[in-house]
Amino acid sequence: MSGLVVEIHDLVKRYGGFTAVDGLSLSIPRPSLFALLGPNGAGKTTTIKLLMGMLQPTAGTVRVCGLDAFRDGVAAKARIGYLPDEPSFYDFLRGREIVRFAGEMHGLNRRTIDERCNMLGDRLQLSDALDEFAENYSRGMKKKLGLMCALIHEPELLILDEPTNGLDPHGTVVLHALMREAVAAGRTVLFSTHLLEQAERLCDRVAVMSRGRLAAEGTLEDLRQRFGTGASLETLFFELTEGATDSELAAPPSNGVEATAASGEPVR
Amino acid sequence: MNSPSSIAILWLFLRTGVRRLMNSSALLQQRFQKGGNASDPTRTGTLSRTDKASRGSRLFGAFLFGSMIMGGVLLSSTSVVTLIESARLDEIATSPKIVLTIDDYSALTSAAATTGEGREAAVAEAIDKMSSDWMGPWTKGRFADAANKRFAADGLEGFVAASEDTGYRGDFAVLSAEGRDRAMRSVGLYILLFNLASAGVALVLMNRSLAGPDPVLNWLLQFPVSRRVLFLARMIEQTFDTPIAFVNTILTAMLAWRCGMDFWAGFGLSLASGLSVALTAAALRVATESVLLQCMGRKLRGTITAGIVTVANLVLLFAMLGNGAPATTRALTWLGDRAPSLLFWNPLAVGFGSADLLAVHRAAYVTMLGLMSAGLGFFAVIACERLSLGGLNIHSESTRTDAKVAAPRKSASVRWERFQGLIAKEMLQVIRKPEIMVQVLLSPLLILGILYLKDPDRTLGVILKDGGSVCATIFAVAAYVLAGCSSSILAIEFRTLWFLQTLPRSLADSIRTKSRFWGTIVLIPAVAVSGWALATQTESTAALALRIPFLIAYIALFAEICFGAMALGASVANESTVRFRRSMWFLPLLVTVECSAALYLGMIWSLIGTLVIMILVAFALRQRQVAELPWITEPSDAPPRQLDSAHALIALGAFIQIRDILGGIMQGTALKGTEGLLIGFSGSAVLVFLTFLFWQWQSGIRAVPMPRRGTVLQPMLTGMAVAVSVGFLWVGVLRQNIDIATSAHATLRLPTSLESIDHEAVMRMLAFLCVAPLFEEWLFRGLLYRGLRQSWGVAASVALSGLLFTVIHPAASSVGVATLAVVTALVYERTGRLAAPMAIHFVYNLTIMALWTASAA
């Protein structure tokens, strides 16, 4: 098996006339803790959905653990744990039942599920609420429950979309610990965030996305060296995404106009 | 308070309310959450299929909505008429003379004046004519009985003409003042019941906003408006959220006109009453919503709303279906006699209850009605404002505070341990969602119960008539349940689509598992009931034994078709909004009709044919699910849709239905017999073909291109030779074995001389030599075969399309027709041009007709 968990090659994703991801190439070795950075609307969530096989690429390839994410989606998903930005759950299931269902769908037996569920529940301080209907959970609790579902089958690749959004400080600490443990166990964690400080503390490697393109990628050391030593990640980030900010200030709807012009449709 | 904001919000709610009324697909929520218009290229969100809803589907939606309202009005007006008639029957029983309208009386007088033998018959006919205008299912017979008896006893003396113009029409006109009052009271009670039920349905609609946080209200709170304005705006919106205003207006107008009001006065009164009823219902709804939200925990709230849902559904079903029954008519009349007059002085009873109100004091009453509903609305808004003094409790208020966190329930978990994964989840869904249980699983039983109540002999008698009717009923009920639960269950599933998508299995697989689970759930009672029928209905054992295997196979396949079609018709707008294309109901509906008819008739040929059709549909849907479901959240990128075998089967089903309906209609006209059937055949073919072309043009769906290779002439001539020679031999065989004059082939004749060319001969030649070759080849080869060969290969597609082609033809001609089907399909495959099979079909039909003409001569 190759040493790469994620291989993205010339990936393009268009929604109608709008290009969300534009020629992205990225590879992530195993094990690693990898952060996807970028301002809002940079295409992070779309990239993650493409990795999950939820969307089909307009062009290019996405391979996860050596499998095509869309065509071999079923086999790929067995190796991935996924936490969306805003998880929503069945309104007729309790937290524990949802975790159990997720585990059973991944082919685990009841005893293993319950063991892991209790362990994770205790660590995330969700045990008390596990017998409550998940629909009543607060945002942070839903996030924790989603995290439990994502971790229950100990996946090779853990994909977390804005994982700390809505989490309390304790939850954040536990989440970071869980991420580090996963990497220590030889697995890979990919997460998107716009919290630079978080990325700085956790990651070996980061990728910065801007307007659907890859602005920079590498270890933090690499990036620092490339853009001048001593620069903080924040400075780096703004340097990398600055072009976009400037043009947006100059011509507010530039994004749409550009996309329209590129796709050859008449500008309305 | 900021008045521009208030006006903006009121205007917004008014607009969305009217929009909801006109087009249920344009929900307020969606407008806010998606924003922008669909053609905006900068939108990063998911494009929903509903954004691009075609004009056709909108028209279809409007049509469904309109027909639903008209259906409600017609059913209700039948019951109102029955109530008035029942009051008249009571009056006839007690008064010495039967009052008739002047026309009816003169008709009776002239009938009685006839002398000799025909007198009795003429009188009976006159009486029958009087009662034939009556719409009530049972009152008609009772009136005729009573009138005939009276005539036999007292002769013409027993009747009297209505003396003066009372200002009332219909049955009201022949009632005495007291009788009118009684009738009005029972009608008033009925209208109260009906409006309460409609208000209950309006309450049902708030279920969604009670179940979780209401994103719209939540969002609106950020604007500088007072809560009073917010609630007022919400009430205005909800006034138009249900068809209650429409239904009530039409119903009241019909009654007002019966009471002798002129057109515009009746219309004005009914419009006023319709609006006041709708406003009252909205006030009730807003107030209830607020009370439930502010004062109760989620569990209690859920229980109460589920209760309202159930009761409202039951009452509405009863008000629509069960009211005309003798027992309920009597009950309403009895209650009307005893109810205090004050009861009718509210908007929901619209003043019926006192004959004076509508005739004399109508201006005063309309004013009262308006004031009352406005007052109720005002109080509702004030109450909502008061209740929410401590802030609007519309966020996802935690229920963890009131629902104690329970320790893991060991016994419950043990009980479910043998169910794994999906099955356990589905079971929990059934158990924990009482509305699914009630609405889907119990409603067919309720409908059967109400029909039984209405006329015990007819319901059970019809169902238990023979094996065919038993099986057809079982299937229809099963289909109802499956059709109902497929959309409600898939809606739940698609709201958490991300979750399904992260699981290591394809969406098509998940949906198939679901359909199997629900198919099994429905199959268990179906098998039990049919087994019971087999055991008890000893006289129809053979009929049942033939049908039951088909029944089981039909139900199992129907489950898959229903879920598959619904899943394909779903569009996921966001994590809480899932919609289903209405046109997707066509397929289950057609299949239901087809299967019920096949089970009812019990002809082995049609049973097999229907089974083949269902298998084909199920496989076509599976294929499309694999291709199309991955795009469910990004339909803007969905693969171009192509014509497939399912489209051919829909066209075939529509053709058969329309042919039979047209043929049936023709039997009632001057064009009876064979000519009518032929017109039905050709008319249906033309209609289906044109509709299909129009739909194809509208939706832009293209057919898969057929490879064209080689010459046409040689394969066509070879095919013709084979088909014609087998047909020739088969006609020879048949001639030895069947009676030509009585067989179905008697119609297959050509005119033998110029003089014998009549209408029927022209129709026959048109149908068999022109329409059949063109239409059947287009359908079976151009659509079905071409669709099948995409995934099944040539051999299997020739066999399947040939089998279907054979079973829809008469059994006697099977060998010839089967050969024709195989030959034409092969020639089509070889040439890629549809003209070749059409030519072969034409020559074949011409030969067969010539042969039959010759043998008849």
Side-chain angles (χ1 to χ4, degrees), chain A residues 164-233:
Chain A
T164 44
N165 265 8
L167 276 191
D168 54 13
H170 177 267
T172 313
V173 170
V174 176
L175 171 72
H176 289 172
L178 284 169
M179 284 159 78
R180 287 206 192 90
E181 280 163 31
V183 176
R187 298 198 278 271
T188 301
V189 180
L190 164 69
F191 72 102
S192 77
T193 184
H194 43 243
L195 300 177
L196 303 173
E197 174 262 352
Q198 186 187 16
E200 192 158 24
R201 251 187 318 133
L202 283 169
C203 300
D204 339 319
R205 291 169 74 84
V206 297
V208 183
M209 283 186 78
S210 166
R211 311 169 102 220
R213 291 169 190 278
L214 187 67
E217 194 241 320
T219 62
L220 284 173
E221 286 309 304
D222 283 349
L223 293 187
R224 285 225 172 83
Q225 274 170 17
R226 217 186 307 162
F227 294 92
T229 36
S232 75
L233 195 57

Side-chain angles (χ1 to χ4, degrees), chain B residues 469-544:
Chain B
S469 51
V470 170
C471 285
T473 310
I474 295 175
F475 180 79
V477 170
Y480 177 89
V481 173
L482 283 172
C485 66
S486 58
S487 59
S488 56
I489 282 160
L490 287 178
I492 297 174
E493 202 61 73
F494 285 167
R495 258 177 243 147
T496 45
L497 193 65
W498 74 272
F499 197 65
L500 269 193
Q501 283 178 323
T502 57
L503 300 175
R505 85 207 285 271
S506 77
L507 216 49
D509 268 351
S510 298
I511 286 161
R512 213 173 311 142
T513 315
K514 241 172 202 320
S515 69
R516 290 210 184 110
F517 174 82
W518 283 92
T520 319
I521 291 245
V522 175
L523 258 180
I524 294 167
V527 169
V529 174
S530 50
W532 167 81
L534 196 61
T536 54
Q537 306 284 306
T538 40
E539 69 275 20
S540 46
T541 311
L544 281 165

Side-chain angles (χ1 to χ4, degrees), chain A residues 15-110:
Chain A
Y15 293 108
F18 177 75
T19 310
V21 177
D22 191 3
L24 181 74
S25 294
L26 193 65
S27 43
I28 302 175
R30 106 178 64 205
S32 61
L33 190 47
F34 192 95
L36 205 53
L37 301 175
N40 294 340
K44 299 185 301 279
T45 298
T46 305
T47 309
I48 283 178
K49 284 193 171 170
L50 284 157
L51 273 170
M52 283 304 297
M54 284 182 184
L55 301 177
Q56 194 189 30
T58 312
T61 53
V62 185
R63 298 180 79 77
V64 175
C65 306
L67 298 158
D68 187 293
F70 188 78
R71 250 173 293 131
D72 303 323
V74 172
K77 279 173 203 166
R79 296 167 168 79
I80 312 178
Y82 169 63
L83 171 69
D85 188 12
E86 301 229 358
S88 50
F89 295 100
Y90 295 103
D91 52 358
F92 55 91
L93 289 186
R94 300 173 201 278
R96 188 180 300 280
E97 286 161 349
I98 288 173
V99 177
R100 197 172 279 170
F101 173 65
E104 275 167 345
M105 295 302 286
H106 281 288
L108 303 179
N109 67 33
R110 187 62 63 103

Side-chain angles (χ1 to χ4, degrees), chain A residues 120-141:
Chain A
L120 286 168
D122 286 345
R123 286 192 67 177
L124 288 164
Q125 293 189 340
L126 199 65
S127 295
D128 286 350
L130 277 179
D131 290 294
E132 175 62 33
F133 284 102
E135 205 205 0
N136 300 336
Y137 284 11
S138 70
R139 191 174 172 200
M141 289 160 79

